[in-house]
């Protein structure tokens, strides 16, 4: 039975109901010595409490998108086929332009929480050696005859840790919020792509390449974009790609954009952090070298030339805002950093409210041609240098 399915949630509620009724029906009927009666009654109370906790956990998990399967919850999922040393560029000497196209077959998702139009496939990364699901949503314009020769910009959506690739669609309702804004010409018609980021069970990859362990960077910045551009009418190269993430996904989005300005033009990070050690389960926090080189602030300060990347960062004073200010202070043109303070804590409710502003800002970075000639009228001004 699926961890996130309605049947399991209803089954958990039914079991809790039984657990509550047991003490009411059997409390005075327990026979035997006092010790036996006490133990039996204690077991009934504990059973009722455990089932109540289970129902709460399932409800929270379904609404927050923390774990997508039993393997994710138990940390037994294996998404690493191979983890070769791919070198500093994360390509391992491969010339992607000479490789055959990697078209994927997408099917509509069966999870009603994700809304209409979301499709999924399972991808085995040709370069990274990572295997995982990828979810895609196409904008309303994609199927219109007027856009049949149009290549669309792409935003890669990264979830927090723990977190599932479904969360942007199910918990944040990104496509439900953006579809009407796209129809009205207020937001660019982006293709939305959400790949699996929880790849090592109970460990956070930090979206890094660690030889012999994981090539999460290459999975996200090479294999997934290559598959998407081979399968859909999506723009190729940095001029057509951006990232957005929350929590650990915000850290990844900013880091990947700064590390690969040849692959991404912009990134939005909600309640993120610079130091990988902010996530205790991160494998990059355990090694001093990895902790340093996977810090977005270190990457920005040590770049040979300032990366042509725009960043939109938001957070509370102790939850991303100060890290954003540090990045803004270190940025030099053409790098641009916009930092927005928010209140409300480290929660999906806070990030959900920011979705329209994030994508309005992203629309300004790409200066897209909006449907039916309607001019872009976003609320956030385009950043300088892009």
């Amino acid at each position: 039975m699926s961890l996130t399915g309605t049947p399991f949630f209803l089954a958990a509620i039914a079991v809790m109901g039984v657990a509550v009724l047991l003490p009411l029906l059997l409390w005075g009927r327990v026979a035997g010595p006092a010790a036996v009666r006490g133990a039996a009654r204690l077991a009934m109370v504990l059973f009722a409490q455990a089932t109540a906790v289970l129902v709460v956990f399932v409800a929270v998990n379904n609404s927050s998108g923390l774990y997508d399967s039993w393997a994710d919850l138990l940390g037994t999922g294996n998404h690493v086929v191979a983890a070769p040393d791919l070198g500093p560029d994360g390509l391992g000497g491969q010339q992607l332009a000479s490789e055959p196209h990697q078209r994927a077959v997408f099917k509509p998702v069966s999870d009603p929480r994700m809304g209409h139009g979301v499709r999924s496939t399972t991808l085995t990364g040709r370069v990274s050696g990572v295997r995982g699901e990828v979810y895609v949503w196409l904008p309303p314009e994609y199927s219109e005859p007027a856009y049949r020769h149009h290549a669309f910009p792409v935003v890669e959506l990264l979830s927090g840790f723990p977190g599932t690739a479904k969360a942007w669609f199910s918990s944040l309702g990104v496509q439900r919020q953006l579809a009407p804004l796209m129809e009205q010409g207020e937001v660019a018609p982006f293709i939305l792509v959400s790949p699996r980021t929880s790849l090592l069970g109970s460990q956070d990859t930090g979206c890094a390449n660690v030889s012999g362990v994981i090539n999460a960077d290459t999975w996200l910045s090479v294999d997934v974009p290559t598959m998407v551009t081979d399968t859909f009418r999506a723009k190729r190269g940095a001029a057509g790609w951006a990232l957005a993430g929350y929590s650990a996904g915000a850290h990844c989005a900013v880091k990947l954009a700064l590390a690969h300005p040849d692959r991404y033009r912009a990134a939005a990070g909600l309640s993120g952090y610079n130091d990988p050690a902010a996530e205790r389960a991160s494998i990059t926090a355990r090694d001093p070298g990895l902790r340093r080189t996977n810090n977005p602030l270190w990457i920005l300060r040590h770049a040979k030339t300032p990366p042509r990347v725009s960043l939109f960062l938001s957070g509370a004073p102790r939850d991303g805002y100060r890290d954003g200010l540090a990045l803004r202070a270190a940025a030099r043109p053409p790098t641009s950093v916009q930092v927005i303070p928010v209140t409300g804590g480290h929660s999906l409710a806070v990030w959900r409210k920011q979705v329209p502003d994030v994508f309005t800002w992203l629309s300004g970075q790409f200066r897209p041609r909006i449907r039916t000639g309607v001019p872009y009228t976003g609320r956030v001004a385009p950043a300088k240098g892009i």
Side-chain angles (χ1 to χ4, degrees):
M1 189 178 293
S2 172
L3 174 64
T4 58
T6 300
F8 181 68
F9 183 46
L10 295 178
I13 294 176
V15 173
M16 183 184 69
V18 172
V20 171
L21 288 174
L22 281 177
L24 297 176
L25 297 175
L26 302 179
W27 193 268
R29 299 183 181 183
V30 178
V36 173
R37 295 196 305 272
R41 290 166 179 169
L42 177 61
M44 287 189 288
V45 171
L46 293 177
F47 180 51
Q49 291 178 335
T51 57
V53 170
L54 175 63
V55 170
V56 172
F57 165 76
V58 175
V60 170
N61 185 60
N62 286 349
S63 64
S64 302
L66 299 176
Y67 302 99
D68 191 34
S69 66
W70 291 104
D72 287 343
L73 175 62
L74 301 175
T76 58
N78 183 13
H79 300 276
V80 181
V81 178
D85 186 349
L86 298 177
D89 65 354
L91 296 175
Q94 295 194 42
Q95 301 296 323
L96 297 181
S98 62
E99 294 288 337
H101 282 195
Q102 190 172 11
R103 292 182 60 86
V105 176
F106 279 79
K107 298 181 180 179
V109 298
S110 58
D111 189 339
R113 297 173 305 152
M114 300 185 72
H116 176 71
V118 182
R119 312 176 188 182
S120 68
T121 192
T122 299
L123 172 68
T124 299
R126 182 182 293 165
V127 183
S128 67
V130 170
R131 179 177 175 83
E133 65 270 24
V134 181
Y135 297 93
V136 167
W137 179 83
L138 303 175
E141 293 83 350
Y142 193 89
S143 58
E144 293 185 1
Y147 285 82
R148 63 182 179 275
H149 301 302
H150 181 76
F152 291 82
V154 183
V155 180
E156 197 169 353
L157 307 172
L158 307 181
S159 301
F161 180 86
T164 79
K166 294 180 178 180
W168 271 93
F169 297 110
S170 61
S171 302
L172 269 65
V174 60
Q175 82 285 15
R176 289 188 288 271
Q177 295 195 62
L178 295 184
L181 298 177
M182 291 180 182
E183 292 279 4
Q184 298 162 15
E186 296 184 16
V187 168
F190 289 108
I191 294 175
L192 305 181
V193 179
S194 183
R196 169 176 278 274
T197 55
S198 294
L199 303 168
L200 289 177
S202 59
Q203 300 180 89
D204 174 32
T205 68
C207 299
N209 281 0
V210 181
S211 180
V213 180
I214 187 74
N215 286 318
D217 181 320
T218 298
W219 159 251
L220 295 170
S221 69
V222 176
D223 285 329
V224 170
T226 298
M227 180 273 292
V228 170
T229 52
D230 285 350
T231 305
F232 301 100
R233 297 195 313 275
K235 289 188 175 182
R236 295 179 180 269
W241 279 74
L243 300 132
Y246 60 85
S247 192
H251 166 75
C252 287
V254 173
K255 187 195 77 169
L256 291 173
L258 292 174
H260 304 296
D262 58 326
R263 302 172 191 174
Y264 301 101
R265 182 52 43 84
L270 312 180
S271 302
Y273 49 85
N274 292 330
D275 186 355
E279 172 50 67
R280 290 178 292 179
S282 175
I283 61 173
T284 59
R286 302 170 189 170
D287 179 271
L290 289 174
R291 180 178 177 181
R292 180 177 63 254
T293 57
N294 283 278
N295 185 319
L297 184 59
W298 187 93
I299 294 172
L300 182 58
R301 287 173 172 171
H302 290 81
K304 292 182 179 179
T305 58
R308 190 176 182 230
V309 169
S310 286
L311 303 178
F312 176 97
L313 308 173
S314 69
R318 296 181 181 273
D319 189 27
Y321 183 67
R322 292 177 182 174
D323 285 29
L325 292 179
L327 288 168
R328 189 175 70 181
R332 300 291 180 270
T335 308
S336 66
V337 181
Q338 185 168 342
V339 188
I340 307 296
V342 297
T343 58
H346 197 83
S347 71
L348 288 166
V350 171
W351 304 323
R352 189 183 301 113
K353 292 178 181 178
Q354 296 180 69
V355 166
D357 283 338
V358 166
F359 279 85
T360 299
W361 176 84
L362 284 170
S363 298
Q365 309 315 304
F366 292 97
R367 294 187 176 93
R369 193 173 62 182
I370 306 298
R371 60 174 283 137
T372 63
V374 177
Y376 168 67
T377 57
R379 299 184 293 275
V380 182
K384 290 181 64 178
I386 298 297

